Amino acid sequence: MRKTHLSCLALLSAITLASPAFAAGAADSLKAGKAELRSAGRLAFGPDGVLFVGDSLGASIVALDTGDTTPAAQAAAIDMTGIDGKVAGLLGTTADKILINAIAVNPISKNAYISVSRGRGPDATPVIVRTAAGGKLEMLSLDNIKNARVSLPNTVAGEGNADQRKRMDAITDIAFTNGKVVVAGLSNEEFSSNLRMISYPFTSAERGASAEIFHGSHGGFETNSPIRTFMTYKINGEDVVLAAYTCTPLVVFKSADLKPGNKVKGKTIAELGAGNRPLDMFAYKKNGADYILMNNSSRGVMKISAAKLESYPAITKPTDITGVPYETVKSLNGIEHIVALDDTHALALVKTSAGQDLKSVALP
Amino acid sequence: MICLKPLLRCLFIAVALQLGAAAIAAEPASVSLEGGAFKVTGWTPPILPPTGGWESILTVHAGRGDVPALLGAYALEAGALVFRPSYPITAGVQYRVALHVPGAPAVEKIIDGPRRDTTPVAHVVSVYPSGDVWPSNQLRLYINFSTAMSRNEVAGHLHILDETGKKLEGVDTVLLPGQELWDPTFQRLTLTFDPGRIKRGLTSNQTVGPPIEEGKTYTLVIDREWPDARGVPMTERFQKVFRGGPAERRTPDPANWTLSPPKPGTSAPLVVTFPTPMNYPLLQRMLEIDSVLGRVDGKIEIAAGETQWRFTPDLPWKAGNYRLIADARLEDRAGNRINQPFDIDVFEKVTKRIETPTVARPFTIK
């Protein structure tokens, strides 16, 4: 009897230690009702099937309880030709009247989630569609779903004349790590960058703290160029943020430095070439080696070696393409978005002459 | 004592309804679009759905491709099967309706959504920078449209041509590819020139050169085919010719601005003149006037190619001391801020940077 008690206690302690914030379930803080989304952009999964949605027009991050918590070790193969038309069809319209904004994979169920604008103007309706058993698509109802919303401060100027109300931050990427939602924003007016960290579960008092980001100098100069996409990672056991910029350096920040109000200078460990816009990045393992897959607007999909990232010196001299080695994956063309699907595959949104396809592809 | 009149009336109505129903049933089953819902006529449905569900009787597809049926809900309304789509019927879209009423031939028909208004109304109202000479390190481009536009169209409908009329594409692209930043109304588009070619110290800046070359002439073209938010093209093509000028590397210094204070008792504008053009939208919200009584309310105008900021007070000026307060994050056209140049020479002493959030320029109305 005593042994049983001790076992239970040990188990409880282990759960508490492993995930102190979510001992009661990550979705427990969410309230049932209509999710107030003005737009649905970048997506990121947190624990327990909670999906975070970047709402640029609503200047907020919305957490949704997808209820999608049945585990799957491997993802079912996905091959949806004309996904734009299929999603449009569900929504009662045609592919030229929607936009697919982002994709994500629930790490528990391995189901794919797609954020969509039904319409292409400011009044477009935000929609989340997901894959279901049998290769079907279904809509995640936003009318009655457990949800929570946190506003991002200073994103839309709420007063003044029409010209003064045009400022907006596009949410270019979001991630969930160590109990925080990390948000990268890009202003449509001033040229600056900050990473905002918002504790989850959301509290009304905290809207997130931001750190101003500089990437390391190139030549004799440094700038505060905006982060486009990023991922959280560990180098030598230390939590870091790997960020990619528009011009296109790969920069490392220590997560511990990302504190409210800090001006944080990163270490540039690779220059991946100009005339380009990085779109997505994620880490994976293959044959025991660590890699980062990075998708770009103009330079294809790059497979970047993540071995010994700590060993690369900061790039401080004029340089074009240098630093951490990478190869361009020739088999992956027209990739608009790519995210990790399971241990062996990625999920890609591919542009074709006829529209867009959603398909699983082997990790290179 | 039983009154027969009501009973007779009920009997009469029941017979009439029966006759009516028989008459409707005699018509072939069909589907019509009424109030945004698809309604089956000419068929009396059972109270409970058939084994295959109501979707075995009626399905609706948008457009012509191999796409799933519309999401929506079935209901029996006034004795008729009705399908209400989850999302409103779209103007200009055709709907394929398939009806399989038991014991009757299958019916397939096309139903048009509401007619789409195809009258073009959109046009380009203005482009900033508004001048004809842009520095070689011009950072951002703002395009104002007369109405809300469709996004995701830059790659297809916005071009920059060189002096020979050739589109600048591929490695010659000067704008950051595919990056569209809209305002909340989708009437103002912000584009960014490739920072990799602007920033000093990057090889692409040194070898390919800056996006805009000093002395060369370019044409910004926006195709008429760019659709507005309704999907309707613009009224006309837009083009603007501009010439490359020297790079602007210095931080804007409020000490170099010229202030022209008006006379007391008038509502004439205070005119602030800058030596070089500034970032248009930031001028709208990063400069203000205050006095010992607090902030002065008024209207802002930007003039003379973004080299003038004109402030007209809501109430006539009173004699006294005022301050022009500039947010230190105010940028010029090339992204140089008051408190920091676009790219900092790291060998300069950091103490040269202004760390305060605002900079004040006092002036007197007398």
Side-chain angles (χ1 to χ4, degrees), chain A residues 92 118 164 189 220 277 319, chain B residues 88 95 151 177 203 284-285 346:
Chain A
R118 186 185 186 271
Q164 292 166 331
E189 293 191 351
R277 194 165 52 100
T319 179
Chain B
Y95 293 89
R151 66 184 169 97
T203 303
Q284 296 281 354
R285 59 181 178 83
V346 292

Side-chain angles (χ1 to χ4, degrees), chain B residues 196-211 249:
Chain B
R197 291 177 64 180
I198 292 175
K199 290 176 183 173
R200 292 176 289 174
L202 280 179
T203 303
S204 47
N205 168 264
Q206 295 169 348
T207 55
V208 188
R249 302 280 185 201

Side-chain angles (χ1 to χ4, degrees), chain B residues 96-121:
Chain B
R96 286 179 288 133
V97 177
L99 181 64
H100 299 270
V101 167
V107 176
E108 292 211 357
K109 72 186 272 192
I110 301 287
I111 297 180
D112 288 325
R115 213 172 138 201
R116 192 164 67 107
D117 180 2
T118 54
T119 312
V121 294

Side-chain angles (χ1 to χ4, degrees), chain A residues 108-178:
Chain A
I108 299 173
S109 67
K110 309 290 189 287
N111 285 328
Y113 283 69
I114 308 167
S115 61
V116 181
S117 299
R118 186 185 186 271
R120 294 191 167 193
D123 299 327
T125 306
V127 181
I128 308 284
V129 173
R130 66 181 170 194
T131 56
K136 287 187 174 171
L137 289 170
E138 62 184 27
M139 191 179 64
L140 185 68
S141 171
L142 301 175
D143 288 334
N144 187 18
I145 185 168
K146 285 177 76 179
N147 71 90
R149 179 175 178 272
V150 64
S151 296
L152 303 175
N154 305 322
T155 45
V156 181
E159 55 182 31
N161 63 34
D163 273 330
Q164 292 166 331
R165 291 195 299 268
K166 290 185 171 176
R167 187 188 181 282
M168 193 171 98
D169 274 344
I171 297 169
T172 60
D173 207 356
I174 57 176
F176 181 84
T177 183
N178 292 333

Side-chain angles (χ1 to χ4, degrees), chain B residues 74-362:
Chain B
Y74 294 88
L76 296 181
E77 296 179 7
L81 177 63
V82 173
F83 173 71
R84 293 193 177 278
S86 297
Y87 293 92
I89 294 301
T90 307
V93 171
Q94 290 190 320
Y95 293 89
R96 286 179 288 133
V97 177
L99 181 64
H100 299 270
V101 167
V107 176
E108 292 211 357
K109 72 186 272 192
I110 301 287
I111 297 180
D112 288 325
R115 213 172 138 201
R116 192 164 67 107
D117 180 2
T118 54
T119 312
V121 294
H123 60 273
V124 174
V125 176
S126 56
V127 167
Y128 294 98
S130 64
D132 299 330
V133 179
W134 297 2
S136 63
N137 58 345
Q138 175 70 44
L139 185 60
R140 286 200 148 165
L141 172 63
Y142 301 94
I143 301 164
N144 288 299
F145 295 90
S146 63
T147 189
M149 301 299 288
S150 278
R151 66 184 169 97
N152 218 30
E153 299 288 342
V154 166
H157 296 309
L158 186 142
H159 320 283
I160 293 188
L161 314 182
D162 67 11
E163 285 164 314
T164 66
K166 180 175 155 272
K167 283 181 193 173
L168 297 177
E169 293 174 299
V171 293
D172 295 326
T173 305
V174 297
L175 290 165
L176 208 51
Q179 181 170 281
E180 299 182 12
L181 297 170
W182 289 92
D183 78 320
T185 67
F186 283 32
Q187 285 183 253
R188 191 189 71 192
L189 172 65
T190 305
L191 294 167
T192 309
F193 286 90
D194 187 353
R197 291 177 64 180
I198 292 175
K199 290 176 183 173
R200 292 176 289 174
L202 280 179
T203 303
S204 47
N205 168 264
Q206 295 169 348
T207 55
V208 188
I212 300 169
E213 221 172 307
E214 188 176 347
K216 288 199 172 173
T217 301
Y218 302 85
T219 307
L220 166 70
V221 174
I222 296 166
D223 296 335
R224 195 185 83 83
E225 287 72 22
W226 190 318
D228 66 17
R230 303 168 302 155
V232 180
M234 299 201 296
T235 56
E236 59 191 3
R237 176 181 190 261
F238 173 86
Q239 73 169 50
K240 177 182 173 68
V241 176
F242 62 94
R243 193 159 44 81
E248 289 172 5
R249 302 280 185 201
R250 285 172 300 177
T251 55
D253 185 352
N256 295 333
W257 299 349
T258 307
L259 273 63
S260 306
K263 294 287 177 198
T266 72
S267 291
L270 166 83
V271 179
V272 180
T273 306
F274 317 108
T276 54
M278 303 293 282
N279 178 311
Y280 179 86
L282 299 186
L283 283 179
Q284 296 281 354
R285 59 181 178 83
M286 289 198 174
L287 289 176
E288 63 179 38
I289 306 294
D290 76 3
S291 72
V292 287
L293 299 174
R295 181 179 151 162
V296 181
D297 292 327
K299 289 183 182 57
I300 293 165
E301 282 176 273
I302 316 297
E306 298 86 77
T307 61
Q308 266 190 11
W309 185 82
R310 301 164 70 90
F311 179 83
T312 306
D314 290 345
L315 300 171
W317 294 105
K318 289 180 182 164
N321 293 324
Y322 294 82
R323 296 188 309 168
L324 169 69
I325 308 290
D327 189 319
R329 297 169 301 167
L330 178 62
E331 295 173 12
D332 66 10
R333 293 183 296 179
N336 299 304
R337 299 179 187 180
I338 289 174
N339 65 352
Q340 178 186 306
F342 177 67
D343 41 10
I344 300 164
D345 186 332
V346 292
F347 299 108
E348 280 181 18
K349 285 184 180 170
V350 175
T351 48
K352 282 188 181 176
R353 296 190 212 171
I354 296 166
E355 297 293 345
T356 52
T358 60
V359 179
R361 265 291 302 268

